[in-house]
Amino acid sequence: MWKNIFFLPNRKMYLTLLLLFSFLSTTAHAQESKLAEAPIMIDDKPITTKYIMREGHLLVPALFLKHTGAFVDWDEQYRSVVFRVRNTMFALPIGKKYSDDYVRGTWQRHSLPIETIDFNGEPFVPIVNVARKLGMDVRYDATLARTFITTNFEIKPNLIAHGNMTEKLVALTFDDGPESRYTPQILDILKAKGAPATFFVMGKQIRQFPEEMKRIVNEGHGIANHTWNHPDLRRVWSSKVREEIQSTQAEMAKVVGKKPDLFRPPFGAYTKSDIAIFNEMGMRNIMWSVDTLDWSGLSGDEIIAIVKRDISPGGIILQHNFQAETRLLDGTVEALPQIIDDLREKGYKFVTLQTLLTN
């Protein structure tokens, strides 16, 4: 009775306090999930990463180590991150203060001063310990408040952004298809103008639109690999990078009987580790010299202006031929005929990337 009499006059205040407590708790949780970020120098190049400080140790997302050139994978059975550089391989199990090192055909356990942790489903590893186990040098500059990593091994560069700059050749490239809205319109224009192009195709799109894929090849255009599912390669395990490329190569071979050695990573994003994979698979990493930004919904006139401003001999022009359920690429279709006419008037010849890169 006394309990009820006490709370009745204050029920509104009680509910207000309860809601306030709930809000503060939610806000605190949200702030905890927003990790701090800082650059780490890898071979004198700054690369920004999220990080966690735990017991005086710097932990970073495991995938960040791909920027050093290390292969990084996930072993679901043992809930471990697996690192490999040449003949060095070891695994860091989640929640354990040790590593399992693969040495001369056997696994050997070695203690670590800090455990690998799972933060919101993402493995975080002690970067200093991992880098040193991979044979890298690590130092901290207190004056600059920055960590420096020297990897101590080279990966052959693999980046092509233009062709021979002494000849007035140009390659039109289209990413993300094939599909049934923009691809046929683009092919119609290219056919009418007699201009070859190169299509960076996705494996899942080939499977869904095999006839459009066949038309691309039958009408004399080049094809190239743009992964199966368009992931940001910086954020996927090394084995997944290989799978994305291999599965698309297989689908191209199945549908049109060709397996090109040209590859463009989605978003133009990749790590040093991914370059090592491209090299192992014999894939040339193709970027561009003219970015039309057509994916952002620019008008035809805006796209034409970009091409006029940035074109040069040996140019590789980046455009797109797939935007799901939108009309953002209407400007691409609108601009294409005039791009071809304008560049021909300036003495340019349109070729596939395969031809451009042999000159």
Side-chain angles (χ1 to χ4, degrees):
M1 179 177 178
W2 287 107
K3 182 177 180 181
N4 290 336
I5 292 173
F6 177 79
F7 274 101
L8 279 173
N10 299 282
R11 183 170 294 174
K12 185 176 182 180
M13 182 177 69
Y14 171 77
L15 291 174
T16 301
L17 291 171
L18 183 63
L19 289 171
L20 178 61
F21 175 78
S22 176
F23 171 77
L24 291 174
S25 298
T26 302
T27 302
H29 178 75
Q31 290 174 341
E32 288 174 4
S33 66
K34 293 180 181 179
L35 298 180
E37 295 186 352
I40 291 177
M41 305 297 292
I42 298 179
D43 292 330
D44 295 323
K45 178 181 178 181
I47 301 176
T48 299
T49 180
K50 300 178 292 184
Y51 69 90
I52 296 172
M53 293 302 300
R54 181 72 61 87
E55 299 176 20
H57 294 272
L58 177 64
L59 285 84
V60 300
L63 285 168
F64 176 78
L65 271 296
K66 287 178 60 179
H67 289 286
T68 68
F71 297 135
V72 185
D73 280 300
W74 174 252
D75 187 321
E76 180 62 35
Q77 181 180 357
Y78 295 101
R79 288 189 51 76
S80 299
V81 183
V82 182
F83 296 93
R84 179 168 65 87
V85 168
R86 297 178 178 172
N87 295 324
T88 299
M89 183 169 69
F90 56 88
L92 270 61
I94 296 292
K96 306 297 182 182
K97 284 189 175 182
Y98 59 74
S99 67
D100 288 323
D101 300 9
Y102 192 71
V103 181
R104 293 186 293 275
T106 62
W107 290 95
Q108 300 177 7
R109 185 156 292 177
H110 298 274
S111 62
L112 291 174
I114 188 71
E115 65 184 26
T116 295
I117 67 173
D118 181 310
F119 183 82
N120 289 342
E122 185 174 19
F124 276 66
V125 301
I127 189 169
V128 173
N129 302 90
V130 171
R132 286 175 175 165
K133 285 176 70 66
L134 291 169
M136 303 175 190
D137 295 327
V138 186
R139 68 180 178 87
Y140 179 74
D141 188 312
T143 303
L144 298 175
R146 188 161 295 182
T147 299
F148 289 77
I149 296 176
T150 303
T151 60
N152 295 322
F153 68 95
E154 293 293 326
I155 291 177
K156 182 181 177 181
N158 186 347
L159 188 156
I160 299 171
H162 53 75
N164 187 335
M165 300 181 72
T166 63
E167 296 186 60
K168 276 199 163 182
L169 300 179
V170 61
L172 294 167
T173 68
F174 297 90
D175 285 10
D176 299 348
E179 45 74 84
S180 59
R181 174 188 289 175
Y182 291 110
T183 303
Q185 295 180 67
I186 290 169
L187 289 172
D188 288 345
I189 295 169
L190 295 173
K191 185 175 182 179
K193 296 290 185 179
T198 303
F199 289 80
F200 283 84
V201 295
M202 295 166 56
K204 70 174 185 179
Q205 294 299 116
I206 302 171
R207 178 166 291 181
Q208 187 174 357
F209 300 98
E211 295 308 313
E212 285 78 3
M213 183 67 186
K214 291 175 184 177
R215 182 183 171 189
I216 289 171
V217 173
N218 291 340
E219 295 186 2
H221 303 292
I223 58 172
N225 193 313
H226 197 46
T227 73
W228 183 271
N229 202 40
H230 209 270
D232 183 335
L233 299 186
R234 297 169 299 180
R235 296 178 172 85
V236 298
W237 305 112
S238 296
S239 58
K240 180 64 175 175
V241 174
R242 291 187 180 89
E243 180 186 330
E244 286 278 339
I245 298 172
Q246 289 172 342
S247 59
T248 302
Q249 292 291 87
E251 196 68 19
M252 283 192 279
K254 176 183 174 182
V255 174
V256 296
K258 294 186 176 183
K259 290 169 48 173
D261 68 345
L262 304 181
F263 175 77
R264 177 176 286 161
F267 316 106
Y270 55 89
T271 68
K272 187 176 178 180
S273 173
D274 300 320
I275 288 291
I277 291 173
F278 305 159
N279 291 345
E280 286 182 3
M281 300 182 73
M283 305 299 289
R284 289 183 283 178
N285 180 34
I286 309 297
M287 294 289 110
W288 52 84
S289 59
V290 180
D291 186 353
T292 64
L293 301 174
D294 61 343
W295 55 268
S296 64
L298 294 185
S299 69
D301 288 342
E302 290 171 317
I303 292 171
I304 291 165
I306 290 172
V307 174
K308 285 182 177 179
R309 182 193 69 199
D310 295 342
I311 194 62
S312 61
I316 299 174
I317 301 176
L318 170 63
Q319 295 173 279
H320 295 79
N321 64 313
F322 175 50
Q323 285 285 330
E325 306 304 323
T326 71
R327 302 193 65 85
L328 289 177
L329 294 181
D330 286 356
T332 301
V333 175
E334 178 187 344
L336 185 56
Q338 188 171 335
I339 289 173
I340 296 171
D341 291 344
D342 287 350
L343 292 184
R344 277 179 171 161
E345 286 181 8
K346 294 179 179 179
Y348 283 93
K349 178 183 177 182
F350 290 90
V351 295
T352 64
L353 269 173
Q354 285 83 350
T355 299
L356 182 72
L357 298 181
T358 59
N359 283 269

